[in-house]
Amino acid sequence: MEINGEQVNEIQDYKDMGLSPALMAAIDKKGYVTATPIQVGAIPPFMEWKDVIAKAPTGTGKTFAFGIPMVEHTDPESDYVSSVVLAPTRELAIQIQDELRDLCAFKEGVRVVCLYGGAPIEKQIQALKKKPQIVVATPGRLMDHMKRRTVRLDRVETVVLDEADRMLDMGFIRDVTHILDLMPQRKNLGMFSATISREVLDISWVYQRDPVEITVQAVAENKPDIQQYRIDVERGEKVDITVQLLEAGGYERAIAFCNTKNMTDRLASLLRMNGIQADAIHGDIQQRVREKVLNTFREGKLRVLVATDVAARGLDIDDVDVVFNYDVPDENEYYVHRIGRTGRAKRHGVAYTLVSSVTESLKMDDIQKGTQNKVLPLKYENGVLLELETEG
């Protein structure tokens, strides 16, 4: 791990970080002992109210990296919003809320509220009337509440932009800057991201003061253990091969990624026709239904979750056995985020990419070069998967 360009020791136990008994009790309850590198790097400067810009691979514990100092700084007796976390998607916002509430388990009086679109605003207004100190929100819904004057940000001290690159890529830059401009008491701004884009740097230059720059590389100790395969197939064979791989591998929890909303629905239906419990999530599905599907999957009652990239962004599902790229993703970054759903929390994961056209083959070649990941080629012939020899 690098902090401001210098290599530093990234191994530390939570008990050695000077945390309060309430926070240590919450961390102990989760069963955690050793902090992740991004937590080792980010918690101390955050505790000192410094600005932070952090780049770390998906699934490395970014929420606790900003959540622990945020909860430590929160006064349970206060009746105003002192911290705001902005997230690009509803699913990620809900996940952050849940993790922050876990951290507040032994700090009575700290209240966390989540604001996101696609849900009744009246229920959120009622939650805001209980005077939360921490608000987790998507930018659009937070703007709605600000216009209705149901939330005040004039006393906010800490702001965090989580998945900052994705949030700005999704067109929220104007909302984000407007929200930041309405926080005159802000002491520090944290920006956490898997990649540092031009837009992220622009926000940093305008709104941060001498930020502590933290970079956690996806090296051996934190890079997920994922065995990656590429399977060249005929277009009409994709469903059969997916079913065969699920059964042969005995996989109980799988995510299959498609590039379009229509294809997610079609694949989920085709899998169900083959006796596989499957359901889809994408942007056109009502939020209430999406949350029900996700909960069913988390509870182990759904074998395959079929998703688009946007719908799956930020999901903290850390015990997926296998990922299927049913469609080859359009961007290298999408591939990295997709396969990052498996092989988390020190588990071994598997990812299969199904390639059925010249266009998909060229895209997959570019992904392998761009990500420098080792992807083993397989061939499907007469109902049998054969491993091909690779050069070198």
Side-chain angles (χ1 to χ4, degrees):
M1 175 178 62
E2 290 183 359
I3 298 180
N4 293 336
E6 294 187 8
Q7 202 73 26
V8 299
N9 180 24
E10 54 189 41
I11 300 174
Q12 192 172 4
D13 287 347
Y14 290 109
K15 64 180 177 60
D16 299 321
M17 300 185 78
L19 304 178
S20 67
L23 264 293
M24 281 306 305
I27 292 167
D28 288 344
K29 184 179 179 182
K30 297 283 288 185
Y32 300 152
V33 175
T34 303
T36 66
I38 190 62
Q39 294 163 5
V40 173
I43 290 174
F46 244 99
M47 290 296 293
E48 297 173 7
W49 299 99
K50 293 180 180 178
D51 288 340
V52 169
I53 181 167
K55 175 185 174 183
T58 300
T60 51
K62 284 179 278 189
T63 304
F64 272 28
F66 62 77
I68 287 173
M70 186 176 286
V71 174
E72 289 280 36
H73 285 156
T74 301
D75 179 4
E77 301 297 323
S78 66
D79 60 357
Y80 58 87
V81 179
S82 58
S83 297
V84 169
V85 183
L86 294 178
T89 65
R90 292 166 286 200
E91 288 81 11
L92 180 57
I94 292 167
Q95 170 202 317
I96 294 169
Q97 171 196 243
D98 292 343
E99 292 195 47
L100 291 178
R101 284 180 172 171
D102 286 345
L103 286 173
C104 296
F106 297 92
K107 194 165 181 179
E108 190 174 346
V110 177
R111 297 172 294 280
V112 183
V113 164
C114 191
L115 311 175
Y116 54 90
I121 200 166
E122 292 78 13
K123 188 175 180 181
Q124 295 174 2
I125 292 172
Q126 291 303 312
L128 288 167
K129 287 181 178 178
K130 296 179 181 178
K131 306 291 182 68
Q133 299 95 345
I134 301 175
V135 168
V136 184
T138 54
R141 181 48 66 96
L142 184 58
M143 291 282 286
D144 288 344
H145 281 283
M146 290 162 62
K147 290 172 185 173
R148 291 170 179 257
R149 299 180 185 274
T150 51
V151 65
R152 292 182 58 177
L153 306 179
D154 56 312
R155 299 180 71 177
V156 170
E157 297 174 327
T158 293
V159 186
V160 168
L161 309 185
D162 197 16
E163 298 281 11
D165 56 339
R166 179 57 51 192
M167 186 152 49
L168 301 178
D169 284 348
M170 289 169 67
F172 287 123
I173 189 164
R174 199 169 281 181
D175 287 350
V176 168
T177 55
H178 182 67
I179 291 166
L180 290 173
D181 288 339
L182 294 176
M183 300 178 180
Q185 303 297 319
R186 178 172 52 83
K187 292 183 179 180
N188 64 336
L189 169 63
M191 300 177 68
F192 290 77
S193 194
T195 60
I196 303 298
S197 64
R198 173 84 264 164
E199 291 80 9
V200 171
L201 288 175
D202 287 344
I203 295 286
S204 175
W205 286 337
V206 174
Y207 291 97
Q208 292 187 314
R209 301 170 304 279
D210 299 321
V212 176
E213 299 180 23
I214 302 167
T215 302
V216 178
Q217 300 291 352
V219 292
E221 55 266 31
N222 57 60
K223 190 171 184 178
D225 174 19
I226 305 169
Q227 182 67 64
Q228 300 168 57
Y229 295 101
R230 164 188 175 152
I231 308 175
D232 289 271
V233 301
E234 297 296 325
R235 185 72 192 174
E237 296 175 333
K238 281 193 173 185
V239 175
D240 290 341
I241 291 174
T242 301
V243 172
Q244 178 183 322
L245 290 169
L246 280 166
E247 299 302 343
Y251 302 120
E252 294 300 321
R253 290 166 62 80
I255 298 182
F257 285 98
C258 301
N259 291 347
T260 66
K261 301 168 186 175
N262 181 52
M263 194 63 239
T264 60
D265 288 332
R266 286 178 57 197
L267 178 56
S269 178
L270 289 166
L271 289 173
R272 288 194 295 267
M273 289 172 61
N274 280 272
I276 304 290
Q277 292 174 306
D279 216 333
I281 60 168
H282 55 69
D284 286 349
I285 295 175
Q286 290 184 349
Q287 179 64 18
R288 172 180 54 81
V289 178
R290 288 164 70 181
E291 290 178 11
K292 183 178 179 182
V293 171
L294 288 172
N295 286 334
T296 304
F297 186 68
R298 289 191 179 101
E299 291 168 1
K301 299 175 183 176
L302 184 68
R303 190 172 182 186
V304 182
L305 178 68
V306 187
T308 56
D309 292 290
V310 172
R313 179 75 182 204
L315 296 183
D316 186 29
I317 301 170
D318 61 6
D319 54 351
V320 174
D321 301 322
V322 62
V323 165
F324 292 95
N325 290 309
Y326 192 83
D327 294 326
V328 177
D330 292 324
E331 298 180 22
N332 293 5
E333 184 186 344
Y334 289 167
Y335 179 83
V336 173
H337 281 288
R338 287 181 180 190
I339 68 170
R341 300 299 98 200
T342 187
R344 304 183 81 173
K346 305 296 185 184
R347 295 183 178 91
H348 175 70
V350 182
Y352 296 100
T353 300
L354 307 182
V355 180
S356 64
S357 69
V358 173
T359 301
E360 285 193 325
S361 181
L362 291 172
K363 283 199 291 187
M364 193 58 199
D365 288 342
D366 287 342
I367 287 169
Q368 287 181 244
K369 292 176 185 175
T371 63
Q372 296 185 331
N373 285 354
K374 183 179 181 181
V375 184
L376 299 177
L378 300 177
K379 184 71 175 177
Y380 188 71
E381 288 184 354
N382 301 319
V384 179
L385 279 170
L386 305 172
E387 187 167 333
L388 303 179
E389 292 186 7
T390 56
E391 294 181 5

